[in-house]
Amino acid sequence: MSISAHYDEIAHCNHCGFCQVACPIFRSTGYEGGVARGRLALLRAVIEGRLQWTPELEEPLYTCLLCGACTSNCFPAIPTAELVTTARSEYLEKVGRKSIHHLLFDKLLPYPRRLHLAARAVALGKNSGVSELAAALGLLRIFGRDLSRAEAIVDRLPAQPFRARFKPGIFDGQGRSQHIAYFVGCGVDVVSHAAGEATLSLLRRFSRSVQVLNNNCCGLPAWSYGDLPAARKLAGKNLPMLDAENVDAIITDCSSCTGFIKKYPRLFPEDDPQRKAAQSIAAKARDVSEWLAAEVIPLSKGLQGKRVTFHDPCHASRGQGIVKQPRDLLRRMPGAEFVELPEADWCCGSAGSQLITHYDTSWKVLNRKLDNIAGTGARILASGCPGCQMQLNTGLKRRGLPVRVVHPVTLLDEAYGGADGK
């Protein structure tokens, strides 16, 4: 759909400036084109023919974090993030896609085996130091203007993906009911194995069976970039694997994946036969904290003397309204002291790839978050998004703050006597 179809929504912006208070980009840069009313003014000018689709629009369109904070602070609740995504789609149609995104969205992310092979190659380069040399020589700039500087976002990578150790298939559980499908997100599959192992352990503890899916990428990276056909293709490949009729819930431990799967129906027109399947799947999609908050029993072990705080991923708090559940889980841990993080829903600056594409701006946004974390005195920071975890861990290490960054499920599994908690 053309951005012109949303002219009335865009025209609702009365330029009041309340979005300035909430926007991490504006608060970090002071750039009017980087706040909702500025972006909406640009889109209105394009629709009215006062601006043309040119490469100069890339910066104001793609610096948006899509965090949704502006909409939460907007009286007419203009869905700026969705409008920006629509505008990005039209921008790609008029100006063109970059070859690196064609490689990622069309050739890599739809095929788990290819992604695993690529991840192993990256892990070899990272763990051997070759990628650091490539960064120093500027050879990584072909993948993004700031990837050379962002290369240190992870220290080491697992030699094999999560699903090389836990093959797709059905695992028996200890619970009396609930047949669960476990959607393994790309971040967990190739980077955050501890979260995946903890999730699988907890799901098996409280359900009758867990099916580890052989799913591909959920499609969110393509959608965020504005490549809606690629996002639809990725989602369409997942629909037969999810098979909502034969499971009680579809669980993910990446809040970004969960939020996007819940939006699957909007990817398919009313007359598309895939829309019905997408609706069934979206109805059963659950973030792992949603499901566990309703299922877990009082914990048998605690984190004595540990102060814990929580960062809200944007796709969880504003995208799905998941705020209370992860906090309830953390507060149930005997002996742990939960402290609320000021501005817990302030975006960490990751937004999927911002550290790679807009390194300096991403760091400016992250610094505010790091100041708040330091003020809590917490030594454990939990968050339900692998992307947020990598971004936060990078910032904390750079600051020299002794804070462990984990997924809530990792702490829960330890408290129940999981592999790391025995």
Side-chain angles (χ1 to χ4, degrees):
M1 182 180 292
S2 170
I3 192 63
S4 300
H6 298 278
Y7 182 79
D8 289 342
E9 285 180 283
I10 294 171
H12 281 152
C13 177
N14 57 22
H15 315 293
C16 68
F18 277 91
C19 53
Q20 291 181 330
V21 178
C23 177
I25 296 296
F26 182 81
R27 293 293 294 274
S28 301
T29 65
Y31 173 52
E32 180 66 21
V35 74
R37 72 175 185 179
R39 300 184 205 277
L40 294 173
L42 288 173
L43 296 182
R44 183 168 183 169
V46 170
I47 295 172
E48 294 175 351
R50 293 182 283 114
L51 280 179
Q52 301 300 314
W53 290 106
T54 64
E56 283 72 25
L57 286 176
E58 179 178 349
E59 194 69 8
L61 284 179
Y62 284 90
T63 52
C64 181
L65 299 170
L66 304 180
C67 67
C70 54
T71 301
S72 299
N73 217 45
C74 176
F75 287 108
I78 299 172
T80 300
E82 294 185 14
L83 294 171
V84 167
T85 303
T86 302
R88 288 177 179 180
S89 177
E90 190 163 348
Y91 173 86
L92 296 181
E93 292 176 7
K94 300 293 176 59
V95 180
R97 294 200 309 172
K98 295 180 179 178
S99 57
I100 183 62
H101 294 105
H102 171 68
L103 172 66
L104 288 173
F105 302 149
D106 297 337
K107 303 299 182 182
L108 191 62
L109 294 183
Y111 307 100
R113 186 181 295 274
R114 295 181 189 177
L115 179 63
H116 293 167
L117 289 172
R120 289 179 184 177
V122 172
L124 179 61
K126 180 68 181 177
N127 299 341
S128 66
V130 171
S131 61
E132 293 182 21
L133 176 61
L137 295 175
L139 301 180
L140 299 183
R141 294 182 70 85
I142 60 172
F143 298 104
R145 67 183 187 185
D146 290 328
L147 182 57
S148 295
R149 291 193 287 170
E151 188 269 341
I153 192 170
V154 289
D155 294 326
R156 293 183 63 83
L157 288 169
Q160 292 186 323
F162 172 81
R163 282 180 292 187
R165 292 184 57 200
F166 300 94
K167 302 289 187 183
I170 297 177
F171 293 76
D172 291 334
Q174 303 170 28
R176 296 182 179 180
S177 62
Q178 296 262 352
H179 296 280
I180 302 299
Y182 176 27
F183 184 100
V184 183
C186 301
V188 169
D189 203 16
V190 302
V191 180
S192 303
H193 286 193
E197 292 173 19
T199 295
L200 182 56
S201 173
L202 290 167
L203 292 179
R204 294 183 69 184
R205 181 182 291 271
F206 295 109
S207 68
R208 188 170 181 178
S209 70
V210 181
Q211 181 182 1
V212 175
L213 299 171
N214 191 33
N215 57 275
N216 54 246
C217 170
C218 67
L220 178 61
W223 180 85
S224 299
Y225 179 65
D227 195 334
L228 304 189
R232 192 174 296 114
K233 176 182 176 182
L234 287 161
K237 285 196 67 178
N238 279 329
L239 295 183
M241 299 180 199
L242 296 177
D243 191 17
E245 292 185 3
N246 294 321
V247 295
D248 297 296
I250 300 165
I251 307 295
T252 80
D253 43 20
C254 172
S255 56
S256 297
C257 291
T258 319
F260 194 64
I261 293 172
K262 289 178 179 180
K263 294 179 180 179
Y264 267 9
R266 70 175 62 184
L267 293 173
F268 304 97
E270 291 282 353
D271 58 351
D272 192 316
Q274 295 182 103
R275 185 178 175 90
K276 184 176 180 181
Q279 289 172 329
S280 299
I281 288 163
K284 290 189 176 182
R286 296 288 184 274
D287 186 90
V288 68
S289 65
E290 281 185 287
W291 191 82
L292 286 173
E295 297 293 329
V296 299
I297 58 177
L299 304 178
S300 58
K301 300 177 72 173
L303 299 174
Q304 298 297 327
K306 298 292 180 67
R307 178 174 289 190
V308 182
T309 193
F310 183 77
H311 159 74
D312 288 292
C314 299
H315 286 288
S317 59
R318 284 185 287 271
Q320 303 171 70
I322 299 175
V323 176
K324 183 175 182 292
Q325 297 94 324
R327 287 169 171 79
D328 286 348
L329 291 171
L330 294 173
R331 287 190 175 105
R332 289 181 195 177
M333 288 191 272
E337 177 189 0
F338 178 80
V339 293
E340 190 60 57
L341 175 65
E343 298 181 330
D345 63 353
W346 180 267
C347 182
C348 68
S350 170
S353 60
Q354 285 288 313
L355 196 66
I356 297 173
T357 60
H358 299 87
Y359 184 87
D360 293 324
T361 305
S362 180
W363 265 109
K364 289 177 181 178
V365 174
L366 176 59
N367 278 330
R368 184 178 178 123
K369 174 67 69 175
L370 297 176
D371 290 340
N372 284 325
I373 294 170
T376 66
R379 290 296 174 262
I380 298 176
L381 172 64
S383 182
C385 173
C388 292
Q389 290 169 42
M390 286 190 288
Q391 175 91 340
L392 292 164
N393 195 50
T394 300
L396 290 165
K397 287 188 175 182
R398 182 168 173 174
R399 284 273 190 101
L401 294 173
V403 180
R404 178 190 178 198
V405 182
V406 295
H407 196 294
V409 294
T410 302
L411 297 179
L412 289 168
D413 191 44
E414 291 176 7
Y416 273 107
D420 293 328
K422 292 179 181 179

